[in-house]
């Protein structure tokens, strides 16, 4: 009998975990498993804000795919997906094409820019290793340049972060620690540098526990972060950011705007013709799009509803990993001829957000609030647990966050 072709697109949390689980559970004669990814490395998206601020080198964040995927069991193709044609059961890549019997889509997120003028052209985004590295280099270049110009240019030292959701808050937490180091290195007075976080909602971290939000803002303000709350970003140019607050337009001179104010699913999913809402496709309980029983969608490209709140679950690594494990188990059922697939239910353990390497806030195990050292230690435990799942103890020792007291 012909072995079915399972093709997995993307080696983010969703894609690589599906591949690693399948390589453990399927026998060599069960299926051909192919993993396609743009780069020869997997990266931990949840650490990119540290790479962007320059508090953690990006080589700690990326993991060579061959170090966790057994390439004698899974065929790894380093290439970029250009088109998915579900009616032909085919995927087109920059350098070829692949046919599948089962497809797993884990192509992740893109920044949502909501049509705001100038954002695409002039703002920086924390999307992947390349874009995070560019932000670090750009900030450092501006510090270096500042003392090399006859006229001091404040645009170079105003760092503006759009959005005080989890990404924005985590990024300004890293910046607050990094800026004093940069000031020292480039002989720039700390008081000349501004880190400004602009948020449209009436609070930072809308929807999160108010006492923890207050703790986070106090911690960040004490380290020099300025908040503009209730301030809607309207435009970005090469030299300024424009926002509207209390019906007044205000401008901040800057050549560093980092946009962390929302994500959408990969646009390839939309172009494939699946029903989708900003690149996120509503999927069934078995994580399949309507009308395509041979396609599974995991991670940020999948839209699943929280029946209790009546709203979609926010896209997180936590859910992507669980969906991947679930999909690998369902694929094994399909390959083994068991037509009954298990429905997916997220098992949320909580949310923890870092405020730099030694401070954090979180709500875990339903309603336990954490802040400070205990939250920061919990965040490191969560990160290490993922590495343990992905590559066992050797990977934890190589890439893990083991310094709990710093
Ligand atoms: P991704 O992690 O985005 O991976 C997608 C993969 O697909 C990448 O490897 C990419 O290279 C590849 N790819 C994309 N396009 C193509 C193409 N055309 N061809 C080939 N390959 C392609 N969530 C949490 O639960 N906890 C956190 O603490 C947390 N922190 C975060 C911090 C930051 C700074 C950010 C930005 C997000 C954070 N999130 C967190 C959200 C979390 O990172 C995402 O939900 C998660 O990364 C989604 O996983 P994914 O597998 O869907 O996609
Ligand atoms: P988000 O959508 O959660 O937050 C974006 C923020 O930007 C919102 O507060 C929104 O009000 C604000 N905003 C939108 N448009 C704006 C405008 N024009 N001007 C000013 N502010 C504007 O996006 P995110 O923070 O990138 O997070 C994306 C996903 O990743 C979420 O699901 C989040 O839960 C997850 N995440 C989790 C963690 C964690 O668990 N530690 C960390 C980062 C991200």
């Amino acid at each position: 009998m012909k072995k079915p072709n399972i093709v997995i697109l993307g080696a983010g949390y969703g894609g690589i975990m599906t591949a690693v689980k399948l390589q453990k559970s399927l026998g060599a004669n069960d299926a051909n498993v192919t993993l396609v990814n743009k780069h020869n490395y997997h990266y931990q998206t949840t650490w990119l804000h540290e790479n962007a601020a320059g508090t953690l080198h990006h080589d700690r964040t990326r993991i060579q795919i061959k170090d966790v995927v057994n390439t004698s069991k899974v065929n790894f193709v380093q290439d970029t997906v250009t088109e998915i044609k579900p009616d032909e059961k085919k995927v087109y890549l920059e350098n070829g094409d692949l046919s599948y019997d089962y497809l797993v889509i884990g192509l992740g997120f893109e920044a949502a820019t909501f049509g705001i003028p100038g954002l695409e052209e002039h703002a920086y985004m924390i999307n992947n290793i390349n874009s995070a590295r560019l932000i670090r280099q750009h900030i450092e270049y501006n510090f270096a340049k500042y003392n090399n110009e006859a006229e001091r240019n404040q645009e170079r030292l105003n760092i503006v972060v759009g959005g005080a959701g989890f990404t924005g808050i985590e990024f300004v937490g890293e910046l607050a620690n990094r800026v004093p180091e940069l000031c020292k290195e480039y002989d720039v007075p700390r008081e000349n540098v501004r880190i400004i976080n602009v948020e449209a909602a009436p609070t930072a971290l809308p929807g999160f526990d108010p006492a923890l939000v207050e703790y986070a803002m106090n911690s960040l303000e004490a380290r020099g972060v300025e908040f503009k709350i209730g301030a809607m970003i309207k435009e970005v140019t090469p030299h300024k950011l424009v926002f509207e607050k209390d019906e007044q337009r205000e401008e901040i001179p800057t050549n560093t705007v980092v946009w962390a104010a929302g994500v959408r699913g990969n646009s390839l999913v939309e172009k494939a013709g699946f029903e989708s809402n900003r690149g996120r496709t509503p999927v069934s309980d078995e994580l399949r799009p309507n009308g395509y029983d041979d396609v599974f969608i995991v991670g940020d490209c999948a839209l699943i509803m929280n029946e209790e709140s009546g709203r979609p679950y926010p896209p997180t690594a936590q859910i992507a990993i669980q969906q991947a494990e679930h999909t690998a188990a369902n694929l094994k059922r399909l390959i083994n001829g068991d037509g009954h697939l298990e429905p997916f239910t997220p098992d949320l353990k909580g949310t923890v957000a870092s405020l730099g390497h030694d401070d954090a806030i979180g709500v875990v195990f339903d309603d336990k609030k954490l802040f400070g050292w205990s939250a920061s230690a919990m965040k490191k435990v969560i990160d290490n647990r993922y590495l343990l799942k992905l590559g066992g103890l050797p990977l934890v020792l190589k890439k893990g966050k083991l310094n709990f007291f710093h």
Side-chain angles (χ1 to χ4, degrees):
M1 212 176 78
K2 181 181 160 285
K3 283 199 280 184
N5 287 331
I6 301 176
V7 174
I8 304 167
L9 305 182
Y13 293 97
I16 202 154
M17 193 53 91
T18 308
V20 164
K21 288 287 167 189
L22 284 178
Q23 86 186 1
K24 284 187 189 145
S25 64
L26 292 184
N29 295 322
D30 288 337
N32 301 311
V33 180
T34 301
L35 173 66
V36 184
N37 195 54
K38 255 185 202 174
H39 311 107
N40 62 356
Y41 55 82
H42 160 71
Y43 52 82
Q44 296 211 64
T45 308
T46 59
W47 294 5
L48 288 176
H49 57 291
E50 299 172 57
N51 308 144
T55 47
L56 182 79
H57 194 271
H58 51 268
D59 281 340
R60 280 286 303 285
T61 298
R62 56 179 165 181
I63 296 163
Q64 294 300 310
I65 287 176
K66 65 173 172 39
D67 288 351
V68 285
V69 168
N70 180 344
T71 47
S72 67
K73 289 185 167 176
V74 172
N75 172 31
F76 173 60
V77 176
Q78 185 184 344
D79 208 337
T80 298
V81 180
T82 55
E83 199 176 1
I84 303 167
K85 290 209 164 172
D87 293 322
E88 292 175 19
K89 291 166 87 79
K90 260 188 134 163
V91 174
Y92 291 85
L93 313 176
E94 268 176 7
N95 301 298
D97 57 68
L98 294 166
S99 297
Y100 62 81
D101 297 296
Y102 299 110
L103 182 68
V104 181
I105 301 176
L107 291 170
F109 70 96
E110 294 172 2
T113 51
F114 309 113
I116 296 173
L119 263 186
E120 301 266 5
E121 302 86 333
H122 309 302
Y124 295 81
M125 323 270 175
I126 309 175
N127 285 356
N128 51 46
I129 293 282
N130 287 330
S131 72
R133 184 165 44 197
L134 179 63
I135 294 170
R136 171 172 63 84
Q137 292 278 346
H138 172 79
I139 292 174
E140 214 162 314
Y141 173 79
N142 277 291
F143 270 79
K145 192 82 178 153
Y146 184 72
N147 280 333
N148 282 286
E149 289 170 324
E151 218 170 289
R152 294 286 182 257
N153 181 357
Q154 186 58 35
E155 278 174 25
R156 299 201 181 280
L157 301 185
N158 288 346
I159 306 171
V160 185
V161 178
F166 285 112
T167 302
I169 288 289
E170 288 198 323
F171 180 53
V172 293
E174 298 302 321
L175 277 180
N177 290 351
R178 177 69 176 144
V179 160
E181 293 173 3
L182 289 171
C183 287
K184 215 165 151 193
E185 193 172 340
Y186 291 97
D187 299 320
V188 172
R190 171 66 186 88
E191 59 274 18
N192 291 13
V193 184
R194 295 177 69 193
I195 305 167
I196 308 157
N197 194 183
V198 183
E199 166 59 49
T203 167
L205 297 176
F208 201 57
D209 181 274
L212 292 176
V213 175
E214 196 184 333
Y215 174 91
M217 287 181 74
N218 288 340
S219 163
L220 294 166
E221 281 172 339
R223 284 180 273 153
V225 175
E226 297 170 47
F227 286 97
K228 305 274 183 202
I229 300 294
M232 173 76 84
I233 295 170
K234 291 287 182 186
E235 190 185 353
V236 178
T237 77
H239 301 289
K240 65 173 189 274
L241 172 131
V242 182
F243 67 87
E244 203 173 280
K245 184 174 158 68
D246 302 329
E247 292 173 24
Q248 301 286 323
R249 274 172 92 83
E250 291 184 43
E251 293 181 1
I252 305 173
T254 179
N255 61 12
T256 309
V257 174
V258 178
W259 179 249
V263 294
R264 45 161 290 138
N266 194 307
S267 40
L268 287 172
V269 171
E270 224 161 47
K271 288 183 196 139
F274 302 120
E275 180 191 341
S276 76
N277 181 350
R278 284 210 242 120
R280 299 186 71 198
T281 294
V283 288
S284 65
D285 287 350
E286 298 85 24
L287 304 177
R288 297 186 284 192
N290 194 9
Y292 295 94
D293 279 354
D294 47 5
V295 178
F296 295 81
I297 307 185
V298 294
D300 283 12
C301 295
L303 190 148
I304 54 171
M305 291 302 286
N306 181 339
E307 298 302 340
E308 264 174 45
S309 68
R311 294 165 61 90
Y313 280 101
T316 62
Q318 186 178 182
I319 291 184
I321 295 160
Q322 291 180 8
Q323 289 177 327
E325 292 172 318
H326 192 87
T327 296
N330 269 343
L331 277 166
K332 184 170 163 57
R333 288 187 187 98
L334 276 174
I335 304 288
N336 290 350
D338 177 356
H340 174 74
L341 302 190
E342 289 293 325
F344 174 76
T345 316
D347 174 19
L348 299 185
K349 311 278 189 222
T351 301
V352 185
S354 62
L355 306 168
H357 66 275
D358 57 356
D359 199 3
I361 48 170
V363 178
V364 292
F365 310 128
D366 281 343
D367 59 358
K368 182 152 180 42
K369 291 183 202 179
L370 299 176
F371 56 87
W373 181 84
S374 59
S376 183
M378 177 60 88
K379 181 101 177 121
K380 289 169 192 166
V381 168
I382 295 167
D383 292 342
N384 293 339
R385 188 169 166 268
Y386 168 67
L387 293 172
L388 189 68
K389 269 188 182 189
L390 187 67
L393 198 55
L395 191 62
V396 179
L397 295 175
K398 195 168 167 192
K399 301 280 182 178
K401 292 197 172 163
L402 303 173
N403 192 346
F404 286 88
F405 295 98
H406 179 63

